[in-house]
Amino acid sequence: MLSRLSIRNIVLIEALDLDFAGGLGVLTGETGAGKSILLDALGLVLGNRADSGLVRAGADRASVTASFDFATLPEPLRTIIADAELEVEPGEPLILKRQLRADGGSKAFLNDQPVGVALLRELAPALVEIHGQHDDRGLVNPRGHRLLLDRFAGGDVARVAAAWSTWRNAREALDTARAQVARAAEDQDLLLAHLAELTVLAPETGEEDTLAQARAQMQKGEKLADDLAALQRLWTGSDSALANLRGASRRLDRIAGEHPLLAEALAALDRAVIEAGEAEEALERAAEALAFEPDELDRIETRLFDLRAAARKQSCQVDDLPEKMREMREALEAIEGGTEHLAELEAAANKAALAYRESAEALHEARRAAAQRLDTAVKAELGPLKLDSARFRTAVTRLPEERWGAHGLDSVEFLISTNPGADFAPLAKIASGGELSRFILALKVALAEEGGAATVIFDEIDRGVGGAVASAIGERLARLASAGQLLAVTHSPQVAARGDRHYMIAKSSEGTVTRTSVHLLSAADRKEEIARMLSGAEVTAEARAQADRLLERA
């Protein structure tokens, strides 16, 4: 609920801090005292459009801060705050702040964390519900009527939503499978031809690299063939360099013992023979490695060409060809087994459709029964509110199948007829300002709405009525407020007397400066204010006595 409202430099309000509590709080004051300023300030902090005209004359900026206390933060608020990745500690008040500059710029904060104004607007419906003379939201807006009736009916909306989700998913799976089978069937002949080609080709993953490396080696051998042959001739035969080295080594070996230097020469020559022998072996191995057969090279190049041509045809890499073959086989299998699979999916979709229709039909019947009870309950409230000639009807209309959804089969709208014989029409199109407010009050009482906004505000709901009607309005406001927090801006002493807390709005002038102030009244001041409301400018003893009687009856 709203626990505190702090206003700085908004129109005629220079500085104001108001504390609120649960139950019914009433706000009174003379016409023009500035009651609308409070609502404008509250609207600003709840995300209404920033209007530089709200900034007090002579000030460069204005601000409004609203604090809301909750035993446990309601689910809608928790979800919105979590989605915005903001932090609100358990048990901590929710503090909204809006700063407005004289040039029209504004900033918004949630518990000192900067936020967008759109977030304030998203939070607002769960925080404050305002009903006034020109209300076009809340109970007047038909978009919310179905939800209100469902709360009143206690219907299993969650079951219908779950059944709808299951049916929708089953239909999507069936449609997807049908499309896949249809596409595959159109391409069946082409798939068979492509798969036959690839089956004959029998590509293997990694084959391209292996063939490319083998071809590169053979091409090197072809290039180096003449040089290798010439080198081999140098190392072979009786007159080769290696044969001469070995002959020299044998001859030197016979005389090496004659002198140390000859021994050194022999050792060096032996090393040369060994190194030359290793070189000969390496040349032989290289010749073998680089050896190529023109027919094998041609085979490898032909294979590479065929693989790469197939890859281009399938718009993939050579290594992806085996996977392409697998996909083709699966597509062909889907065609062959498609009828059976589609039959299974169709059976699942039909079963889900039946489950949805059963749950939605049950909700439809619950809505129709609840609509009759709601119509009766609202009718009982209309007479005491001086709406004797009016009629109320909850229209539950079955929608065409293409408009069914998680909400069920129906549209719901609250309709009224204000005169005997007149047709029923939407609330906002028929009722005048005062009638509309009283219709809303009757609805609120009849619905005993749960899960609505934390704070409900009625702005001059009693305009144009008095006496027994005003008393009936006050009694119903008090009844609504017993389960939460309700604030009422009122001109009616009968309504004001019902309040648990009474705030007086006053305007004062000092020279050219005009200010609006709001004060929580004591018991004595409250009696005096109600007496003023009864008698006018001059408070009489009779008015005070009547105020006493009103307060006693409340």
Side-chain angles (χ1 to χ4, degrees):
M1 67 176 182
L2 179 65
S3 58
R4 187 174 179 83
L5 183 65
S6 297
I7 302 173
R8 298 292 183 271
N9 295 322
I10 294 289
V11 193
L12 300 179
I13 298 177
E14 187 173 15
L16 178 65
D17 295 294
L18 280 177
D19 292 319
F20 296 95
L24 176 60
V26 295
L27 295 93
T28 66
E30 295 181 355
T31 301
K35 293 184 289 293
S36 63
I37 299 174
L38 286 177
L39 298 181
D40 289 341
L42 188 58
L44 183 66
V45 81
L46 292 173
N48 285 359
R49 185 179 65 86
D51 181 358
S52 60
L54 291 175
V55 179
R56 180 176 168 81
D60 59 353
R61 68 181 60 234
S63 69
V64 182
T65 304
S67 298
F68 295 87
D69 286 338
F70 298 94
T72 303
L73 202 62
E75 177 59 33
L77 298 178
R78 286 203 304 272
T79 301
I80 294 169
I81 291 170
D83 290 345
E85 298 182 352
L86 299 171
E87 295 182 2
V88 177
E89 295 296 328
E92 182 180 14
L94 190 65
I95 303 174
L96 306 185
K97 184 175 183 179
R98 184 90 178 272
Q99 294 178 339
L100 175 63
R101 297 194 305 272
D103 62 5
S106 72
K107 293 181 180 179
F109 303 86
L110 186 150
N111 287 38
D112 294 327
Q113 301 166 87
V115 297
V117 175
L119 180 69
L120 300 185
R121 286 195 289 269
E122 194 175 358
L123 293 169
L127 293 174
V128 179
E129 181 182 326
I130 301 177
H131 300 291
Q133 293 287 310
H134 306 289
D135 184 35
D136 60 353
R137 299 162 298 170
L139 297 180
V140 176
N141 192 332
R143 285 181 296 181
H145 292 177
R146 184 167 50 213
L147 177 60
L148 292 170
L149 180 63
D150 286 342
R151 286 177 180 161
F152 182 77
D156 197 347
V157 181
R159 180 186 173 195
V160 173
W164 167 257
S165 179
T166 301
W167 183 25
R168 182 184 58 189
N169 292 339
R171 285 187 305 177
E172 289 176 354
L174 177 60
D175 292 342
T176 300
R178 282 173 173 164
Q180 289 174 344
V181 169
R183 286 195 301 270
E186 290 174 1
D187 299 334
Q188 186 174 18
D189 292 341
L190 187 60
L191 282 171
L192 287 169
H194 285 178
L195 183 58
E197 291 175 2
L198 291 177
T199 301
V200 172
L201 187 61
E204 297 178 3
T205 302
E207 184 180 5
E208 182 184 23
D209 286 344
T210 301
L211 292 172
Q213 290 173 10
R215 183 182 65 172
Q217 288 293 95
M218 288 187 175
Q219 288 173 336
K220 287 180 183 178
E222 184 180 24
K223 181 179 179 182
L224 299 175
D226 292 341
D227 291 332
L228 289 171
L231 285 168
Q232 284 181 319
R233 286 195 295 271
L234 289 174
W235 293 105
T236 58
S238 58
D239 196 33
S240 67
L242 183 55
N244 290 331
L245 277 175
R246 287 170 176 161
S249 175
R250 288 193 297 272
R251 179 170 290 188
L252 186 57
D253 184 52
R254 292 195 294 269
I255 63 173
E258 301 297 328
H259 193 279
L261 290 176
L262 293 174
E264 290 181 15
L266 177 61
L269 190 56
D270 285 343
R271 289 195 299 272
V273 170
I274 293 171
E275 293 289 339
E278 292 177 353
E280 180 184 31
E281 292 176 1
L283 281 171
E284 290 176 354
R285 291 195 303 272
E288 291 175 1
L290 293 171
F292 78 99
E293 297 177 10
D295 290 345
E296 179 63 12
L297 178 59
D298 184 61
R299 185 195 70 79
I300 290 174
E301 288 183 334
T302 300
R303 178 69 175 171
L304 275 172
F305 176 82
D306 291 343
L307 287 170
R308 289 171 176 171
R312 286 193 299 273
K313 191 173 184 178
Q314 299 300 328
S315 301
C316 67
Q317 299 298 315
V318 172
D319 280 352
D320 295 333
L321 288 174
E323 176 64 18
K324 278 286 184 182
M325 293 176 66
R326 187 189 66 78
E327 291 175 358
M328 291 177 186
R329 290 191 185 97
E330 287 183 353
L332 289 168
E333 288 171 2
I335 296 172
E336 294 168 2
T339 303
E340 181 180 348
H341 182 54
L342 287 178
E344 293 174 357
L345 291 176
E346 190 168 1
N350 290 337
K351 181 179 179 181
L354 180 60
Y356 171 76
R357 286 188 176 93
E358 287 177 350
S359 59
E361 286 288 355
L363 180 60
H364 171 73
E365 293 304 321
R367 284 170 174 164
R368 290 183 58 188
Q372 293 179 0
R373 296 198 309 273
L374 180 59
D375 294 351
T376 301
V378 172
K379 180 180 179 181
E381 298 294 330
L382 296 180
L385 295 175
K386 202 178 179 180
L387 294 168
D388 313 67
S389 300
R391 293 175 296 153
F392 175 87
R393 186 174 75 191
T394 305
V396 179
T397 306
R398 184 184 289 268
L399 295 168
E401 184 171 343
E402 62 269 17
R403 292 180 59 192
W404 293 357
H407 51 72
L409 317 175
D410 313 304
S411 69
V412 176
E413 187 171 7
F414 299 146
L415 304 175
I416 62 168
S417 169
T418 55
N419 297 303
D423 292 335
F424 283 93
L427 284 171
K429 292 184 178 180
I430 295 295
S432 65
E435 288 176 331
L436 180 59
S437 296
R438 281 177 278 149
F439 263 113
I440 291 170
L441 178 58
L443 265 173
K444 291 289 290 186
V445 172
L447 287 167
E449 184 187 350
E450 296 180 2
T455 299
V456 178
I457 299 175
F458 279 94
D459 181 20
E460 299 186 358
I461 190 174
D462 49 14
R463 180 184 291 272
V465 299
V469 177
S471 294
I473 291 173
E475 186 273 330
R476 282 154 179 77
L477 290 175
R479 195 193 314 169
L480 282 176
S482 64
Q485 183 186 49
L486 191 149
L487 301 175
V489 178
T490 180
H491 288 286
S492 167
Q494 290 90 343
V495 173
R498 290 281 184 173
D500 299 302
R501 293 163 69 89
H502 191 148
Y503 303 87
M504 181 178 177
I505 305 170
K507 184 167 64 175
S508 61
S509 298
E510 296 178 10
T512 59
V513 178
T514 302
R515 294 182 176 86
T516 289
S517 60
V518 184
H519 303 285
L520 177 63
L521 298 181
S522 65
D525 291 337
R526 182 183 183 192
K527 183 176 74 171
E528 194 70 12
E529 169 64 3
I530 293 175
R532 181 200 64 76
M533 297 171 72
L534 287 163
S535 63
E538 183 179 348
V539 179
T540 64
E542 182 181 351
R544 291 189 178 95
Q546 189 175 352
D548 279 334
R549 288 192 293 272
L550 285 175
L551 289 168
E552 287 173 2
R553 285 201 296 268

